[in-house]
Amino acid sequence: MLKSEYNAFFHQEGHWFVGNDPARGPWSTDACHAGPPTGLIARALELRVTDKQLVRLTVNLLRPIPMDGFRIETEIVRDGRSVCTASALLKDRDGRICASAQSLHIRHGKDIALPTTTIDSPCFDQAIPGQFPVREHHHDLPFFADGIEVAYPPGQDDSPGPTTLWMRTLPLLEGETPSPFQRLCPLADCGNGISRNCELSEARFMNPDVTIAIHRLPESEWLASEAVSHWPPGGIGTAVATLFDQKGAIGTAIQTLLVEPHQ
């Protein structure tokens, strides 16, 4: 069971989204983990574009996203018969832009049986409950790890390096069931932590962006990330994750990383 006393990451106060404890990130008592706000950005864009499926979302994280409230503005950039692009801005209470986003929406066509590529999926039935890989945080308050459940398929654990795990999260908003794409966002932003190459006490591996691209909507609450991080010399890296539901692969998440060893 989830450890949090809350039933969602956020609650609404008018046009403002205010973070509950599980929305908090590990770095500051006042800043959100980027995954749940990414889900709310997806929600805002899905509400703006209702006749096509959200298939790709890129979020640029420009400054810490405040726990005490933010709002999201959206705009359709180009709307065609089959494809639409849109944008979003996440702003704090002072009007400062904390995140910007671009999305791609495609009209769902007829189901046609065509050849496709399949890949082996991680085992869910034999997965063992465990802890979120990154447990170190710079405060003593509840945070993101208190709003999720984690399980590891056979042969996997929370050690550094390429890792696969299953995750189930709280809903984004109180009293609202998230869409399949929205439900995926918190997990998609965790690839850098899941596949970190050392512990947080040895290096920082922060992501200034995340891109989520799916070829199929997830159909289960439990979702998996098969993630690997590349940290070449120079401090610029990537975390690349293949995403799964309990039926198979659904898409990919990519994060650009700023990697800095602690001095």
Side-chain angles (χ1 to χ4, degrees):
M1 297 294 292
L2 294 175
K3 297 174 284 183
S4 171
E5 63 182 89
Y6 294 99
N7 56 14
F9 285 113
F10 296 96
H11 64 277
Q12 279 189 275
E13 296 179 1
H15 295 296
W16 300 100
F17 299 105
V18 181
N20 298 327
D21 280 338
R24 184 177 291 109
W27 308 104
S28 167
T29 59
D30 303 321
C32 294
H33 186 286
T38 296
L40 289 183
I41 291 172
R43 174 183 181 272
L45 289 163
E46 287 182 319
L47 289 173
R48 187 62 184 261
V49 182
T50 58
D51 61 337
K52 300 177 182 69
Q53 180 180 310
L54 175 59
V55 297
R56 190 193 71 221
L57 176 64
T58 295
V59 177
N60 300 302
L61 304 165
L62 307 175
R63 63 189 309 130
I65 297 174
M67 287 282 291
D68 67 356
F70 57 86
R71 59 189 174 92
I72 300 171
E73 302 173 356
T74 61
E75 178 182 6
I76 293 177
V77 177
R78 182 182 181 279
D79 193 7
R81 186 174 68 87
S82 298
V83 175
C84 176
T85 57
S87 64
L89 294 175
L90 185 153
K91 297 182 178 181
D92 66 15
R93 292 184 183 270
D94 294 322
R96 295 175 297 186
I97 297 172
C98 301
S100 64
Q102 299 77 43
S103 62
L104 176 68
H105 310 250
I106 297 179
R107 178 174 56 84
H108 196 284
K110 296 180 180 179
D111 289 331
I112 303 172
L114 292 172
T116 187
T117 299
T118 60
I119 59 176
D120 291 337
S121 299
C123 177
F124 177 76
D125 293 340
Q126 300 178 38
I128 300 172
Q131 293 182 305
F132 187 62
V134 179
R135 294 185 293 277
E136 300 174 64
H137 50 295
H138 295 179
H139 53 74
D140 296 323
L141 295 179
F143 74 119
F144 179 76
D146 298 294
I148 62 174
E149 293 177 273
V150 170
Y152 291 92
Q156 297 286 321
D157 58 30
D158 59 3
S159 302
T163 299
T164 301
L165 63 70
W166 290 92
M167 182 185 293
R168 180 166 67 171
T169 72
L170 288 170
L172 295 173
L173 280 175
E174 295 177 0
E176 183 175 305
T177 300
S179 75
F181 196 107
Q182 295 165 32
R183 183 182 294 117
L184 184 62
C185 291
L187 172 66
D189 187 62
C190 289
N192 58 330
I194 294 169
S195 63
R196 72 209 182 284
N197 291 314
C198 66
E199 299 295 358
L200 192 58
S201 58
E202 302 172 69
R204 297 194 309 164
F205 35 90
M206 300 180 68
N207 62 300
D209 75 349
V210 59
T211 295
I212 307 164
I214 65 169
H215 56 266
R216 179 173 65 82
L217 287 172
E219 300 179 34
S220 58
E221 288 191 0
W222 280 96
L223 301 168
S225 174
E226 184 179 83
V228 59
S229 283
H230 304 278
W231 294 2
I236 300 173
T238 59
V240 181
T242 302
L243 305 173
F244 301 84
D245 66 2
Q246 288 177 244
K247 287 188 174 181
I250 54 176
T252 303
I254 300 175
Q255 298 163 295
T256 309
L257 305 181
L258 171 63
V259 184
E260 297 178 328
H262 287 304
Q263 302 297 326

